[in-house]
Amino acid sequence: QVALVESGGGLVQAGGSLRLSCAASERRYAMAWFRQAPGKEREFVAGITWSASYMDYADSVKGRFTISRDSAKNTVYLQMNSLKPEDTAVYYCAAGGTVARDMRVYNYWGQGTQVTVSS
Protein backbone atom coordinates (compact mmCIF):
# COMPACT_ATOMS: atom_id res chain seq x y z
CA GLN A 1 0.00 0.00 0.00
CA VAL A 2 1.33 3.43 -0.99
CA ALA A 3 0.12 6.53 0.80
CA LEU A 4 0.02 9.76 -1.18
CA VAL A 5 -0.54 13.17 0.37
CA GLU A 6 -1.06 16.22 -1.81
CA SER A 7 -0.61 19.83 -0.79
CA GLY A 8 -0.25 23.24 -2.34
CA GLY A 9 -3.66 23.90 -3.80
CA GLY A 10 -5.47 27.19 -3.38
CA LEU A 11 -7.01 30.22 -5.03
CA VAL A 12 -5.02 32.21 -7.58
CA GLN A 13 -5.78 34.81 -10.21
CA ALA A 14 -5.49 34.02 -13.89
CA GLY A 15 -1.90 34.30 -15.03
CA GLY A 16 -0.60 33.32 -11.61
CA SER A 17 1.33 30.29 -10.41
CA LEU A 18 0.97 27.47 -7.92
CA ARG A 19 3.12 24.50 -7.01
CA LEU A 20 1.51 21.25 -5.94
CA SER A 21 3.38 18.64 -3.93
CA CYS A 22 2.70 14.94 -3.49
CA ALA A 23 4.56 13.07 -0.77
CA ALA A 24 4.68 9.31 -1.26
CA SER A 25 5.34 6.64 1.33
CA GLU A 26 7.21 4.48 -1.20
CA ARG A 27 9.62 5.15 -4.04
CA ARG A 28 10.21 3.48 -7.40
CA TYR A 29 6.73 4.21 -8.71
CA ALA A 30 5.78 6.22 -11.74
CA MET A 31 3.80 9.22 -10.59
CA ALA A 32 1.19 11.35 -12.26
CA TRP A 33 -1.18 14.22 -11.72
CA PHE A 34 -4.79 14.07 -12.81
CA ARG A 35 -7.52 16.64 -12.39
CA GLN A 36 -11.27 16.63 -12.26
CA ALA A 37 -13.46 19.67 -12.80
CA PRO A 38 -17.11 19.76 -11.68
CA GLY A 39 -19.26 17.73 -14.02
CA LYS A 40 -16.29 16.44 -16.01
CA GLU A 41 -14.31 13.21 -16.09
CA ARG A 42 -10.96 12.93 -14.42
CA GLU A 43 -8.20 13.71 -16.92
CA PHE A 44 -4.47 13.19 -17.15
CA VAL A 45 -2.31 16.26 -16.59
CA ALA A 46 1.30 15.09 -16.34
CA GLY A 47 3.35 12.01 -15.46
CA ILE A 48 6.95 11.15 -14.59
CA THR A 49 8.83 7.87 -14.31
CA TRP A 50 10.47 6.93 -11.01
CA SER A 51 13.89 7.74 -12.48
CA ALA A 52 12.60 11.03 -13.96
CA SER A 53 13.95 9.91 -17.33
CA TYR A 54 10.58 10.36 -19.06
CA MET A 55 7.78 12.86 -18.61
CA ASP A 56 4.48 13.31 -20.39
CA TYR A 57 2.06 16.21 -20.46
CA ALA A 58 -1.47 16.76 -21.62
CA ASP A 59 -1.60 19.12 -24.59
CA SER A 60 -3.69 21.59 -22.59
CA VAL A 61 -0.89 22.17 -20.06
CA LYS A 62 2.24 21.68 -22.17
CA GLY A 63 4.54 24.67 -21.87
CA ARG A 64 2.78 25.94 -18.74
CA PHE A 65 3.10 23.06 -16.25
CA THR A 66 6.24 21.21 -15.20
CA ILE A 67 6.36 17.91 -13.34
CA SER A 68 9.43 16.97 -11.32
CA ARG A 69 10.40 14.73 -8.45
CA ASP A 70 12.83 14.72 -5.55
CA SER A 71 13.71 11.08 -4.96
CA ALA A 72 15.42 11.81 -1.66
CA LYS A 73 12.14 13.20 -0.34
CA ASN A 74 9.84 10.78 -2.20
CA THR A 75 7.99 13.85 -3.42
CA VAL A 76 6.60 14.82 -6.80
CA TYR A 77 5.86 18.40 -7.74
CA LEU A 78 3.65 20.08 -10.30
CA GLN A 79 4.69 23.63 -11.04
CA MET A 80 1.77 25.41 -12.67
CA ASN A 81 2.39 28.73 -14.41
CA SER A 82 0.19 30.99 -16.52
CA LEU A 83 -2.87 29.51 -14.89
CA LYS A 84 -6.23 29.85 -16.61
CA PRO A 85 -9.77 29.65 -15.22
CA GLU A 86 -10.19 26.36 -17.11
CA ASP A 87 -7.42 24.87 -14.95
CA THR A 88 -9.81 25.01 -12.00
CA ALA A 89 -10.27 21.48 -10.67
CA VAL A 90 -9.44 19.06 -7.91
CA TYR A 91 -5.94 17.80 -8.61
CA TYR A 92 -5.06 14.21 -7.71
CA CYS A 93 -1.69 12.56 -7.36
CA ALA A 94 -1.41 8.93 -8.49
CA ALA A 95 1.23 6.19 -8.38
CA GLY A 96 1.63 3.20 -10.67
CA GLY A 97 4.00 0.97 -12.56
CA THR A 98 4.41 3.19 -15.61
CA VAL A 99 3.51 6.60 -16.96
CA ALA A 100 0.27 6.47 -18.89
CA ARG A 101 -2.66 8.74 -19.62
CA ASP A 102 -5.13 6.01 -18.64
CA MET A 103 -6.09 6.34 -14.98
CA ARG A 104 -6.63 2.59 -14.73
CA VAL A 105 -2.86 2.11 -14.80
CA TYR A 106 -2.49 3.77 -11.42
CA ASN A 107 -3.07 1.71 -8.30
CA TYR A 108 -2.78 4.41 -5.66
CA TRP A 109 -4.40 7.81 -5.35
CA GLY A 110 -4.19 10.79 -3.07
CA GLN A 111 -7.18 12.58 -1.58
CA GLY A 112 -6.97 15.53 -3.96
CA THR A 113 -6.30 19.22 -3.56
CA GLN A 114 -8.48 22.05 -4.89
CA VAL A 115 -7.06 24.54 -7.37
CA THR A 116 -9.25 27.53 -8.21
CA VAL A 117 -8.23 30.09 -10.81
CA SER A 118 -10.25 33.29 -10.87
CA SER A 119 -10.63 35.41 -13.99
Side-chain angles (χ1 to χ4, degrees):
Q1 191 75 11
V2 179
L4 303 173
V5 180
E6 301 107 329
S7 61
L11 173 65
V12 64
Q13 289 188 329
S17 298
L18 280 175
R19 188 177 79 157
L20 305 182
S21 299
C22 175
S25 60
E26 302 287 340
R27 57 179 64 195
R28 290 190 175 263
Y29 280 89
M31 303 288 289
W33 289 95
F34 285 74
R35 66 186 181 186
Q36 188 166 18
K40 295 188 176 181
E41 293 187 350
R42 193 170 298 189
E43 64 176 1
F44 174 83
V45 176
I48 187 168
T49 55
W50 74 268
S51 64
S53 59
Y54 173 73
M55 289 157 277
D56 189 24
Y57 295 92
D59 289 345
S60 59
V61 306
K62 202 170 292 184
R64 299 188 299 123
F65 291 10
T66 302
I67 190 170
S68 63
R69 68 189 304 162
D70 183 335
S71 295
K73 297 181 179 180
N74 286 356
T75 300
V76 173
Y77 303 98
L78 185 68
Q79 178 66 43
M80 306 185 293
N81 299 328
S82 302
L83 282 160
K84 305 175 181 180
E86 50 264 44
D87 294 318
T88 295
V90 177
Y91 283 70
Y92 296 91
C93 176
T98 186
V99 172
R101 298 188 178 194
D102 187 343
M103 58 183 293
R104 293 172 295 180
V105 167
Y106 300 90
N107 306 103
Y108 307 102
W109 293 82
Q111 80 286 353
T113 185
Q114 177 70 45
V115 171
T116 303
V117 184
S118 62
S119 57

Short mmCIF file of all heavy atoms in Angstrom, two decimals, residues 1-4 25-32 34 42 92-111:
data_model
loop_
_atom_site.label_atom_id
_atom_site.label_comp_id
_atom_site.label_asym_id
_atom_site.label_seq_id
_atom_site.Cartn_x
_atom_site.Cartn_y
_atom_site.Cartn_z
N GLN A 1 0.84 -1.19 0.00
CA GLN A 1 0.00 0.00 0.00
C GLN A 1 0.88 1.25 0.00
O GLN A 1 1.82 1.35 0.79
CB GLN A 1 -0.91 0.02 1.23
CG GLN A 1 -1.98 1.07 1.20
CD GLN A 1 -3.12 0.71 0.25
OE1 GLN A 1 -3.19 -0.41 -0.24
NE2 GLN A 1 -3.97 1.66 -0.01
N VAL A 2 0.58 2.18 -0.89
CA VAL A 2 1.33 3.43 -0.99
C VAL A 2 0.42 4.57 -0.56
O VAL A 2 -0.69 4.72 -1.08
CB VAL A 2 1.81 3.67 -2.44
CG1 VAL A 2 2.56 4.98 -2.53
CG2 VAL A 2 2.70 2.52 -2.90
N ALA A 3 0.88 5.36 0.36
CA ALA A 3 0.12 6.53 0.80
C ALA A 3 0.62 7.75 0.05
O ALA A 3 1.84 7.96 -0.08
CB ALA A 3 0.28 6.72 2.30
N LEU A 4 -0.30 8.54 -0.45
CA LEU A 4 0.02 9.76 -1.18
C LEU A 4 -0.69 10.93 -0.52
O LEU A 4 -1.91 10.87 -0.29
CB LEU A 4 -0.43 9.63 -2.64
CG LEU A 4 0.14 8.47 -3.43
CD1 LEU A 4 -0.53 8.37 -4.80
CD2 LEU A 4 1.64 8.60 -3.60
N SER A 25 4.75 7.46 0.28
CA SER A 25 5.34 6.64 1.33
C SER A 25 6.34 5.63 0.78
O SER A 25 7.10 5.03 1.53
CB SER A 25 4.25 5.90 2.11
OG SER A 25 3.52 5.06 1.23
N GLU A 26 6.31 5.42 -0.55
CA GLU A 26 7.21 4.48 -1.20
C GLU A 26 7.83 5.15 -2.41
O GLU A 26 7.25 6.05 -2.99
CB GLU A 26 6.46 3.22 -1.65
CG GLU A 26 5.75 2.47 -0.54
CD GLU A 26 6.71 1.73 0.36
OE1 GLU A 26 7.86 1.48 -0.06
OE2 GLU A 26 6.31 1.40 1.50
N ARG A 27 8.98 4.64 -2.84
CA ARG A 27 9.62 5.15 -4.04
C ARG A 27 9.53 4.10 -5.15
O ARG A 27 8.87 3.10 -5.02
CB ARG A 27 11.07 5.53 -3.79
CG ARG A 27 11.92 4.40 -3.24
CD ARG A 27 13.34 4.84 -3.05
NE ARG A 27 13.44 5.89 -2.04
CZ ARG A 27 14.51 6.65 -1.88
NH1 ARG A 27 15.55 6.47 -2.67
NH2 ARG A 27 14.54 7.57 -0.95
N ARG A 28 10.17 4.39 -6.27
CA ARG A 28 10.21 3.48 -7.40
C ARG A 28 8.84 3.24 -8.03
O ARG A 28 8.59 2.15 -8.55
CB ARG A 28 10.88 2.14 -7.04
CG ARG A 28 12.37 2.28 -6.81
CD ARG A 28 13.05 0.94 -6.70
NE ARG A 28 14.50 1.09 -6.61
CZ ARG A 28 15.31 0.97 -7.64
NH1 ARG A 28 14.82 0.69 -8.82
NH2 ARG A 28 16.60 1.14 -7.50
N TYR A 29 7.99 4.25 -7.99
CA TYR A 29 6.73 4.21 -8.71
C TYR A 29 6.71 5.34 -9.72
O TYR A 29 7.24 6.43 -9.45
CB TYR A 29 5.55 4.38 -7.76
CG TYR A 29 5.16 3.12 -7.03
CD1 TYR A 29 5.73 2.80 -5.81
CD2 TYR A 29 4.21 2.26 -7.58
CE1 TYR A 29 5.37 1.65 -5.15
CE2 TYR A 29 3.85 1.10 -6.92
CZ TYR A 29 4.43 0.80 -5.71
OH TYR A 29 4.07 -0.35 -5.06
N ALA A 30 6.10 5.12 -10.85
CA ALA A 30 5.78 6.22 -11.74
C ALA A 30 4.68 7.04 -11.06
O ALA A 30 3.81 6.49 -10.39
CB ALA A 30 5.29 5.69 -13.08
N MET A 31 4.75 8.33 -11.24
CA MET A 31 3.80 9.22 -10.59
C MET A 31 3.13 10.10 -11.63
O MET A 31 3.74 10.43 -12.67
CB MET A 31 4.53 10.10 -9.57
CG MET A 31 5.30 9.32 -8.52
SD MET A 31 4.23 8.52 -7.33
CE MET A 31 3.65 9.96 -6.43
N ALA A 32 1.92 10.50 -11.32
CA ALA A 32 1.19 11.35 -12.26
C ALA A 32 0.24 12.27 -11.50
O ALA A 32 -0.11 12.01 -10.35
CB ALA A 32 0.41 10.50 -13.25
N PHE A 34 -3.53 14.01 -12.09
CA PHE A 34 -4.79 14.07 -12.81
C PHE A 34 -5.60 15.21 -12.22
O PHE A 34 -5.31 15.71 -11.13
CB PHE A 34 -5.57 12.76 -12.65
CG PHE A 34 -5.04 11.61 -13.47
CD1 PHE A 34 -3.88 10.95 -13.11
CD2 PHE A 34 -5.71 11.19 -14.61
CE1 PHE A 34 -3.38 9.90 -13.87
CE2 PHE A 34 -5.23 10.13 -15.37
CZ PHE A 34 -4.06 9.49 -15.00
N ARG A 42 -12.33 12.71 -14.84
CA ARG A 42 -10.96 12.93 -14.42
C ARG A 42 -10.04 12.80 -15.62
O ARG A 42 -10.18 11.86 -16.44
CB ARG A 42 -10.58 11.91 -13.34
CG ARG A 42 -9.31 12.22 -12.60
CD ARG A 42 -9.12 11.33 -11.39
NE ARG A 42 -10.20 11.50 -10.41
CZ ARG A 42 -10.16 10.95 -9.19
NH1 ARG A 42 -9.14 10.20 -8.82
NH2 ARG A 42 -11.17 11.14 -8.36
N TYR A 92 -5.37 15.45 -8.40
CA TYR A 92 -5.06 14.21 -7.71
C TYR A 92 -3.68 13.71 -8.11
O TYR A 92 -3.32 13.73 -9.28
CB TYR A 92 -6.08 13.12 -8.06
CG TYR A 92 -7.48 13.42 -7.61
CD1 TYR A 92 -8.38 14.08 -8.45
CD2 TYR A 92 -7.92 13.03 -6.35
CE1 TYR A 92 -9.67 14.36 -8.05
CE2 TYR A 92 -9.23 13.30 -5.94
CZ TYR A 92 -10.09 13.97 -6.79
OH TYR A 92 -11.37 14.23 -6.39
N CYS A 93 -2.96 13.22 -7.14
CA CYS A 93 -1.69 12.56 -7.36
C CYS A 93 -1.95 11.06 -7.45
O CYS A 93 -2.81 10.52 -6.72
CB CYS A 93 -0.77 12.88 -6.19
SG CYS A 93 0.82 12.06 -6.24
N ALA A 94 -1.22 10.37 -8.32
CA ALA A 94 -1.41 8.93 -8.49
C ALA A 94 -0.06 8.24 -8.66
O ALA A 94 0.88 8.85 -9.20
CB ALA A 94 -2.29 8.65 -9.70
N ALA A 95 0.00 6.98 -8.25
CA ALA A 95 1.23 6.19 -8.38
C ALA A 95 0.91 4.88 -9.07
O ALA A 95 -0.12 4.26 -8.81
CB ALA A 95 1.85 5.93 -7.02
N GLY A 96 1.83 4.46 -9.95
CA GLY A 96 1.63 3.20 -10.67
C GLY A 96 2.93 2.68 -11.22
O GLY A 96 4.00 3.21 -10.95
N GLY A 97 2.81 1.63 -12.04
CA GLY A 97 4.00 0.97 -12.56
C GLY A 97 4.65 1.67 -13.74
O GLY A 97 5.82 1.45 -14.04
N THR A 98 3.88 2.51 -14.44
CA THR A 98 4.41 3.19 -15.61
C THR A 98 3.65 4.49 -15.82
O THR A 98 2.59 4.70 -15.23
CB THR A 98 4.25 2.29 -16.85
OG1 THR A 98 4.91 2.91 -17.97
CG2 THR A 98 2.78 2.09 -17.21
N VAL A 99 4.20 5.36 -16.62
CA VAL A 99 3.51 6.60 -16.96
C VAL A 99 2.52 6.31 -18.09
O VAL A 99 2.90 5.78 -19.13
CB VAL A 99 4.51 7.68 -17.39
CG1 VAL A 99 3.76 8.90 -17.95
CG2 VAL A 99 5.37 8.10 -16.21
N ALA A 100 1.29 6.65 -17.87
CA ALA A 100 0.27 6.47 -18.89
C ALA A 100 -0.82 7.50 -18.68
O ALA A 100 -1.00 8.02 -17.57
CB ALA A 100 -0.31 5.06 -18.81
N ARG A 101 -1.57 7.78 -19.72
CA ARG A 101 -2.66 8.74 -19.62
C ARG A 101 -3.96 8.08 -19.16
O ARG A 101 -4.93 8.78 -18.88
CB ARG A 101 -2.86 9.45 -20.96
CG ARG A 101 -1.63 10.23 -21.39
CD ARG A 101 -1.88 11.07 -22.62
NE ARG A 101 -0.69 11.84 -22.98
CZ ARG A 101 -0.69 12.86 -23.83
NH1 ARG A 101 -1.81 13.23 -24.42
NH2 ARG A 101 0.44 13.50 -24.11
N ASP A 102 -3.96 6.77 -19.09
CA ASP A 102 -5.13 6.01 -18.64
C ASP A 102 -5.09 5.87 -17.12
O ASP A 102 -4.16 5.27 -16.58
CB ASP A 102 -5.13 4.64 -19.31
CG ASP A 102 -6.38 3.83 -19.03
OD1 ASP A 102 -7.10 4.17 -18.08
OD2 ASP A 102 -6.62 2.86 -19.76
N MET A 103 -6.11 6.36 -16.44
CA MET A 103 -6.09 6.34 -14.98
C MET A 103 -6.14 4.93 -14.42
O MET A 103 -5.77 4.71 -13.26
CB MET A 103 -7.24 7.18 -14.43
CG MET A 103 -8.62 6.78 -14.85
SD MET A 103 -9.87 7.91 -14.19
CE MET A 103 -9.76 7.55 -12.46
N ARG A 104 -6.55 3.96 -15.23
CA ARG A 104 -6.63 2.59 -14.73
C ARG A 104 -5.26 1.98 -14.48
O ARG A 104 -5.15 0.96 -13.79
CB ARG A 104 -7.41 1.73 -15.73
CG ARG A 104 -8.88 2.12 -15.85
CD ARG A 104 -9.56 1.37 -16.98
NE ARG A 104 -9.04 1.73 -18.29
CZ ARG A 104 -9.47 1.22 -19.43
NH1 ARG A 104 -10.43 0.31 -19.41
NH2 ARG A 104 -8.94 1.61 -20.57
N VAL A 105 -4.23 2.60 -15.00
CA VAL A 105 -2.86 2.11 -14.80
C VAL A 105 -2.37 2.36 -13.38
O VAL A 105 -1.50 1.66 -12.88
CB VAL A 105 -1.92 2.80 -15.82
CG1 VAL A 105 -0.46 2.60 -15.48
CG2 VAL A 105 -2.23 2.30 -17.22
N TYR A 106 -2.97 3.33 -12.72
CA TYR A 106 -2.49 3.77 -11.42
C TYR A 106 -3.25 3.07 -10.29
O TYR A 106 -4.47 3.06 -10.25
CB TYR A 106 -2.60 5.29 -11.32
CG TYR A 106 -1.79 5.97 -12.39
CD1 TYR A 106 -2.35 6.28 -13.62
CD2 TYR A 106 -0.45 6.27 -12.18
CE1 TYR A 106 -1.60 6.87 -14.62
CE2 TYR A 106 0.31 6.87 -13.18
CZ TYR A 106 -0.27 7.16 -14.40
OH TYR A 106 0.48 7.73 -15.39
N ASN A 107 -2.47 2.49 -9.38
CA ASN A 107 -3.07 1.71 -8.30
C ASN A 107 -3.38 2.54 -7.05
O ASN A 107 -4.22 2.14 -6.24
CB ASN A 107 -2.10 0.59 -7.89
CG ASN A 107 -1.68 -0.26 -9.07
OD1 ASN A 107 -0.57 -0.13 -9.59
ND2 ASN A 107 -2.57 -1.11 -9.53
N TYR A 108 -2.67 3.63 -6.89
CA TYR A 108 -2.78 4.41 -5.66
C TYR A 108 -3.09 5.87 -5.96
O TYR A 108 -2.54 6.44 -6.91
CB TYR A 108 -1.48 4.30 -4.84
CG TYR A 108 -1.06 2.88 -4.60
CD1 TYR A 108 -0.04 2.31 -5.35
CD2 TYR A 108 -1.71 2.10 -3.64
CE1 TYR A 108 0.33 0.99 -5.14
CE2 TYR A 108 -1.34 0.79 -3.42
CZ TYR A 108 -0.33 0.24 -4.17
OH TYR A 108 0.04 -1.08 -3.96
N TRP A 109 -3.95 6.44 -5.13
CA TRP A 109 -4.40 7.81 -5.35
C TRP A 109 -4.38 8.61 -4.05
O TRP A 109 -4.62 8.07 -2.97
CB TRP A 109 -5.83 7.81 -5.90
CG TRP A 109 -5.92 7.24 -7.27
CD1 TRP A 109 -5.98 5.92 -7.62
CD2 TRP A 109 -5.91 7.97 -8.49
NE1 TRP A 109 -6.03 5.79 -8.99
CE2 TRP A 109 -5.99 7.03 -9.54
CE3 TRP A 109 -5.84 9.33 -8.81
CZ2 TRP A 109 -5.99 7.42 -10.89
CZ3 TRP A 109 -5.86 9.70 -10.14
CH2 TRP A 109 -5.94 8.75 -11.17
N GLY A 110 -4.08 9.90 -4.19
CA GLY A 110 -4.19 10.79 -3.07
C GLY A 110 -5.62 11.28 -2.90
O GLY A 110 -6.51 10.92 -3.69
N GLN A 111 -5.83 12.11 -1.90
CA GLN A 111 -7.18 12.58 -1.58
C GLN A 111 -7.61 13.78 -2.43
O GLN A 111 -8.79 14.11 -2.46
CB GLN A 111 -7.26 12.95 -0.09
CG GLN A 111 -6.70 14.31 0.28
CD GLN A 111 -5.19 14.38 0.26
OE1 GLN A 111 -4.50 13.37 0.09
NE2 GLN A 111 -4.65 15.58 0.46
#
